[in-house]
Amino acid sequence: MGNKSSKELLEEIEKSELSVKERLEIPQIEMPCQDPAIRRTNQKEVATGYSETDVKVEAARCLNCKAAPCVKGCPVGINIPGFISKAAEGKFEESLQIIKESSLLPAVCGRVCPQELQCMAYCTVGKKYKDPMKSVAIGRIERFVADYEQSTGKTQVPECAKDSGKKIAIIGSGPASLSAAADLGKLGHKVTIFEAFPKAGGVMLYGIPEFRLPKAIVNAEVETLKKMGINFEFNFLIGRTRTIEDLMKKDGYNAVFIGVGAGLPKFMNLPGENLIGVFSANEYLTRANLMKAYDRGNVDTPIYNSQKVAVIGGGNVAMDAARMALRLGAEEVNIIYRRTRLEMPARAEEVEHAEEEGINFLFLTNPIEIKGDDNGKVNSVVFQKYELGDLDESGRRSPVPIEGETTELEMDTVIMALGNIANPLITKTTPDLEINKRGNIVVDEENRTSVKGVYAGGDIVLGAATVILAMGEGRKAAKTIHKDLGM
Amino acid sequence: MNIILEKKKLSEQVYMMKFSAPLIAEKHKAGQFLIIQLNKDTGERIPLTIADSDKENGTITIIFQTVGKTTMELAELNPNDYIENVIGPLGEPTHISKNGTVVCVGGGIGVAPLHPIIQAFKTAGNKVISIIGARNKDLLILEDEISKWSDEVIICTDDGSAGIKALVTEPLKQLCEQGGIDEAVAIGPPIMMKFCAETTRPFKVKTTVSLNTIMVDGTGMCGGCRVTVGGETKFVCVDGPEFDGHLVDFDNMMLRHKSYTEQEKTAKDKHVCNLDKKIKEIQS
């Protein structure tokens, strides 16, 4: 079935009932993307999405395995063969309803889930080709059916049960919090979300760039919640403007869910790390995304003018920061990672996109010193070379420095994308809230914290994880809250 | 929320504004600050110090200098206007204890955040000696309020138009030499804080400074406000804004202040230019 268009493929597929062998022969439909040379100059979404024909063909690759191994790989257990078979029939609304039984943010997860490590890692088709990237493109189909609903303007506002008389406070407005809010709202509770920024969405707004996750998608989810009657309090920092104790003792909240994410950026404690031109990825991306600094001249938030950029780290955030720097006009962007490509935690598609856009990768390399000029501005970075040693506790081969092998490269910007640690504000201002040695909140299997009536989920519990895991946690906590309220 | 109740021009570039913010006023303690953003889509976020709070009436008073586009736009707002986004109170409150004699040094609009700190030290039972400085008489702020809460006030101006013609470090040094000073607080331009810390260092007088750095979120997330304190990186927004003045790397902090000088100047010039245009339109 080689080099045929999806239209031709679909015509063939629709002729007769396909055998397993025939389904396996359908080639994976590539994700249409903006041309790399063009997209590196704009903020628009890189992957433009499947067409109706594309999605029907891709869905026809699904073997509808009885055991559905893919579902095991999904952190929230979406009925994947179920929604794919509806998509194959062109019943996109029904398909989406199946996803929505388990996931509240399909348009987001379809875009940002590391599918090759989750559902696609277990897909029989991928197993057959010994490559999870050749599995059924589950995320792309999920994205299509979610976008389809938004494009038809027929987004359904979930029905809410009658008022339970219970008030619930949700802290933060990222994926864990939005999911918890949606479930609790549906159950008839009066939900208020407290957010420090003036806009809702958390990491989906300030962290993930427009070119990977259009903000309109996040805003649409937030609007749906508002229509459900969820209340939002912006510019409100729990721990400062009000404490959890105030919420429960003075303001009459029956339960509190903490979904504040992992808040403090990590640095390396290198000499020169506080020079001008060294940023956390959080700062760089927040300026660019949430504060729209890319729209130079029309917004007030400035962003650094960079020519030669080193982004330190190998995760999705590193890819985002690097690709943003490129879009903001940097001549040369380098991703510096102390292990090899194999160990990089970023989504495969993001790494590919970054490469296509012309980003350099320096593997087995890590900075040891940042040097500056007389004005305190970064002008070079000294890097240490590494080799891979034995397996470490994460199950990956650990990088070992090669003595004496260092290089100094000219750079004017260094972006640290090393992950985040827990923000101590809430834990510091909530007596008796148990935390572990990393500062993450300790919860039981049902997301209860050590304080009665207080629940937590997402990155503040897990450490830095993914949107879908956070969403799953939010939903689990919502279920427990409902149960504990005696409902 | 955040409706402006009162506005006063204190000097050429300095404004006082009182606005309604009952929740912030309820929690505010000396040493804490705010972040404001005038437009959630296009505005930048800037930290501002709190000059006073009134828990009963639910108001916050800020005193600010028009140094860039956002502060200029803020100064263009009037009573009954809203400040679109205000978040606070941010940062750790000043550590206030009964310690004996405390010298509080304020320079320029640094006198504003010093005001609640002076009140708190006085209320805690300390003897408070305040040194307030400005370039000239017209730029002096909160003289009466500071006098009300201080046992002694020393006024310094660069040109001698009010008080003594001296830098704030001069009376500070004299007080240290006389002895009996248990603690000092210095708030003002970075260079003033640096020299206050250098003045007290030989006398081993604990000196607290309050830093005002570039910030985005103000909640610990971005790290843009980081400073080197005693060789360690600290975040002004969550670890501060107050630090031991003897440990702060002021030189690095002053350099970091200049991270966006070019862009800030362009934005300010453009704003001034647009204002001029508007004024001309109105006049013609």
Side-chain angles (χ1 to χ4, degrees):
Chain A
M1 290 201 195
N3 298 314
K4 286 179 185 158
S5 71
S6 54
K7 191 160 164 270
E8 289 164 331
L9 288 167
L10 187 61
E11 277 166 13
E12 277 181 40
I13 290 166
E14 284 178 340
K15 270 186 211 151
S16 60
E17 184 66 26
L18 298 179
S19 67
V20 168
K21 188 164 170 280
E22 283 166 324
R23 285 185 194 277
L24 282 170
E25 278 169 8
I26 307 172
Q28 190 189 54
I29 304 296
E30 267 187 47
M31 180 56 124
C33 287
Q34 278 195 72
D35 184 85
I38 294 168
R39 72 185 190 228
R40 53 179 283 174
T41 62
N42 68 45
Q43 294 285 333
K44 286 188 217 131
E45 190 168 20
V46 165
T48 50
Y50 276 170
S51 66
E52 253 186 75
T53 318
D54 291 341
V55 85
K56 284 181 185 165
V57 176
E58 186 61 30
R61 297 181 66 225
C62 175
L63 306 178
N64 221 335
C65 315
K66 268 225 175 68
C70 49
V71 178
K72 273 197 305 235
C74 176
V76 297
I78 294 173
N79 173 5
I80 295 168
F83 91 77
I84 290 185
S85 61
K86 290 291 177 195
E89 292 169 33
K91 293 176 179 162
F92 304 129
E93 280 157 34
E94 286 177 45
S95 172
L96 183 63
Q97 289 320 310
I98 294 173
I99 302 177
K100 284 198 172 171
E101 286 164 16
S102 320
S103 169
L104 286 152
L105 303 165
V108 176
C109 294
R111 288 171 165 84
V112 304
C113 264
Q115 287 96 359
E116 71 273 16
L117 303 176
Q118 299 178 354
C119 49
M120 285 170 74
Y122 295 85
C123 172
T124 313
V125 178
K127 292 258 190 257
K128 168 87 186 155
Y129 289 107
K130 297 190 174 63
D131 180 2
M133 296 306 286
K134 294 207 171 99
S135 297
V136 176
I138 299 166
R140 296 174 189 170
I141 302 171
E142 178 186 26
R143 168 183 163 163
F144 176 88
V145 296
D147 287 0
Y148 183 83
E149 186 193 47
Q150 283 197 0
S151 70
T152 56
K154 283 193 273 185
T155 307
Q156 287 174 1
V157 178
E159 268 183 48
C160 299
K162 78 170 194 346
D163 187 3
S164 68
K166 303 288 184 190
K167 273 173 76 179
I168 296 162
I170 295 203
I171 310 173
S173 67
S177 292
L178 294 184
S179 311
D183 280 358
L184 290 163
K186 274 190 250 176
L187 292 165
H189 305 302
K190 185 92 197 94
V191 177
T192 299
I193 291 182
F194 295 92
E195 166 58 46
F197 278 127
K199 291 179 180 179
V203 71
M204 298 182 287
L205 279 198
Y206 70 74
I208 306 176
E210 177 78 16
F211 58 78
R212 199 151 76 82
L213 177 64
K215 301 309 149 222
I217 287 166
V218 182
N219 294 340
E221 301 293 349
V222 171
E223 284 311 308
T224 307
L225 289 182
K226 284 184 182 164
K227 282 183 195 146
M228 284 170 64
I230 309 284
N231 180 37
F232 286 83
E233 289 282 354
F234 293 112
N235 298 312
F236 209 112
L237 184 62
I238 299 297
R240 290 283 181 229
T241 317
R242 214 114 183 96
T243 62
I244 288 180
E245 210 172 350
D246 293 333
L247 294 176
M248 300 194 73
K249 290 196 178 146
K250 294 184 191 161
D251 305 339
Y253 284 93
N254 303 94
V256 176
F257 173 74
I258 306 169
V260 294
L264 295 183
K266 278 191 211 164
F267 286 94
M268 297 176 75
N269 282 323
L270 298 182
E273 205 166 27
N274 292 343
L275 290 167
I276 301 176
V278 184
F279 304 94
S280 72
N282 282 5
E283 178 181 2
Y284 195 76
L285 289 170
T286 301
R287 283 178 182 274
N289 297 331
L290 182 76
M291 311 305 288
K292 299 200 181 82
Y294 61 80
D295 194 4
R296 289 192 178 106
N298 293 316
V299 301
D300 298 338
T301 302
I303 193 136
Y304 204 62
N305 289 321
S306 306
Q307 298 308 323
K308 286 179 187 259
V309 182
V311 179
I312 320 298
N316 287 319
V317 177
M319 303 302 134
D320 288 345
R323 296 167 72 197
M324 181 58 83
L326 196 73
R327 282 161 175 75
L328 291 171
E331 270 168 24
E332 180 196 306
V333 182
N334 306 282
I335 285 182
I336 314 293
Y337 185 53
R338 62 190 183 127
R339 305 179 198 240
T340 71
R341 191 188 175 116
L342 201 67
E343 290 84 20
M344 265 206 306
R347 255 180 120 227
E349 194 178 64
E350 309 315 326
V351 180
E352 254 168 55
H353 284 165
E355 271 183 330
E356 287 167 7
E357 288 165 14
I359 285 169
N360 305 323
F361 288 80
L362 302 173
F363 294 115
L364 294 167
T365 304
N366 221 22
I368 49 171
E369 185 183 355
I370 304 168
K371 294 183 178 176
D373 63 16
D374 294 343
N375 298 314
K377 291 187 172 177
V378 172
N379 61 8
S380 76
V381 180
V382 182
F383 295 102
Q384 167 74 52
K385 294 298 284 177
Y386 284 78
E387 59 191 349
L388 285 184
D390 298 333
L391 293 182
D392 66 8
E393 54 189 24
S394 73
R396 298 179 295 182
R397 290 183 64 190
S398 62
V400 182
I402 308 172
E403 211 177 310
E405 276 206 41
T406 61
T407 45
E408 184 171 343
L409 298 175
E410 213 179 285
M411 296 284 164
D412 55 46
T413 305
V414 180
I415 301 173
M416 298 288 179
L418 308 160
N420 289 286
I421 48 174
N423 189 321
L425 185 56
I426 290 208
T427 46
K428 234 169 34 184
T429 54
T430 313
D432 307 325
L433 189 65
E434 196 192 329
I435 53 174
N436 66 18
K437 61 179 194 296
R438 287 199 201 90
N440 294 109
I441 298 175
V442 177
V443 296
D444 67 10
E445 306 88 71
E446 293 182 295
N447 292 76
R448 292 180 192 90
T449 71
S450 57
V451 178
K452 195 170 181 301
V454 179
Y455 305 77
D459 282 3
I460 189 65
V461 170
L462 302 169
T466 56
V467 168
I468 192 143
L469 276 174
M471 192 186 77
E473 288 259 303
R475 303 203 70 193
K476 196 147 60 92
K479 217 166 146 187
T480 312
I481 291 170
H482 189 64
K483 188 167 81 179
D484 289 357
L485 287 171
M487 297 285 148
Chain B
M1 269 210 283
N2 315 329
I3 186 165
I4 299 170
L5 305 168
E6 214 182 308
K7 173 186 170 182
K8 211 155 68 186
K9 189 170 180 174
L10 302 183
S11 70
E12 195 42 50
Q13 289 187 337
V14 178
Y15 292 81
M16 182 281 287
M17 246 178 209
K18 186 189 268 188
F19 61 91
S20 160
L23 290 173
I24 301 176
E26 185 187 327
K27 288 286 181 199
H28 168 245
K29 289 196 175 122
Q32 292 183 301
F33 64 99
L34 305 167
I35 281 197
I36 66 145
Q37 188 184 357
L38 296 179
N39 180 309
K40 68 177 181 196
D41 293 314
T42 58
E44 66 178 333
R45 296 168 69 86
I46 57 162
L48 286 180
T49 57
I50 299 174
D52 205 359
S53 61
D54 180 338
K55 293 187 191 339
E56 218 164 287
N57 294 307
T59 63
I60 289 285
T61 304
I62 51 174
I63 291 177
F64 61 94
Q65 192 170 2
T66 51
V67 289
K69 181 173 183 253
T70 302
T71 42
M72 289 173 83
E73 283 177 331
L74 181 62
E76 286 156 26
L77 297 178
N78 288 303
N80 292 323
D81 289 339
Y82 294 85
I83 305 175
E84 195 189 273
N85 304 286
V86 181
I87 181 168
L90 302 173
E92 288 291 322
T94 312
H95 181 71
I96 304 281
S97 58
K98 187 166 187 265
N99 207 359
T101 301
V102 183
V103 184
C104 295
V105 190
I109 59 159
V111 176
L114 196 62
H115 176 232
I117 297 173
I118 290 173
Q119 286 182 35
F121 271 117
K122 183 67 195 164
T123 308
N126 294 284
K127 181 184 176 190
V128 178
I129 303 174
S130 298
I131 305 173
I132 58 174
R135 283 207 310 279
N136 59 52
K137 187 173 180 288
D138 295 337
L139 298 175
L140 266 181
I141 57 167
L142 298 178
E143 228 181 300
D144 295 343
E145 287 82 352
I146 300 293
S147 304
K148 191 179 147 193
W149 292 95
S150 309
D151 294 277
E152 193 185 324
V153 181
I154 303 164
I155 292 170
C156 305
T157 50
D158 292 1
D159 63 357
S161 54
I164 53 171
K165 183 179 172 179
L167 296 172
V168 289
T169 45
E170 293 167 48
L172 178 63
K173 192 177 174 200
Q174 281 168 14
L175 288 170
C176 289
E177 279 166 351
Q178 283 164 23
I181 305 299
D182 299 294
E183 193 174 344
V185 180
I187 309 181
I191 193 81
M192 181 208 98
M193 292 191 280
K194 177 182 168 173
F195 283 105
C196 285
E198 287 316 317
T199 305
T200 58
R201 191 191 300 274
F203 301 96
K204 296 193 171 67
V205 173
K206 179 192 164 197
T207 301
T208 302
V209 294
S210 179
L211 308 182
N212 192 339
T213 52
I214 293 171
M215 289 184 191
V216 183
D217 60 295
T219 65
M221 194 197 78
C222 85
C225 62
R226 62 195 194 279
V227 287
T228 313
V229 181
E232 273 179 65
T233 292
K234 296 278 180 192
F235 289 4
V236 172
C237 68
V238 288
D239 299 319
E242 294 181 356
F243 295 99
D244 181 342
H246 295 151
L247 298 178
V248 172
D249 181 346
F250 283 102
D251 294 337
N252 177 254
M253 180 194 144
M254 285 187 269
L255 283 174
R256 286 182 63 79
H257 248 297
K258 295 180 187 150
S259 297
Y260 299 99
T261 314
E262 261 168 66
Q263 289 105 315
E264 284 161 359
K265 190 177 177 308
T266 313
K268 185 181 168 187
D269 291 349
K270 197 172 148 197
H271 183 70
V272 172
C273 186
N274 286 341
L275 268 185
D276 286 346
K277 251 191 240 162
K278 260 190 219 160
I279 291 167
K280 272 180 197 144
E281 270 169 32
I282 295 165
Q283 284 170 344
S284 62

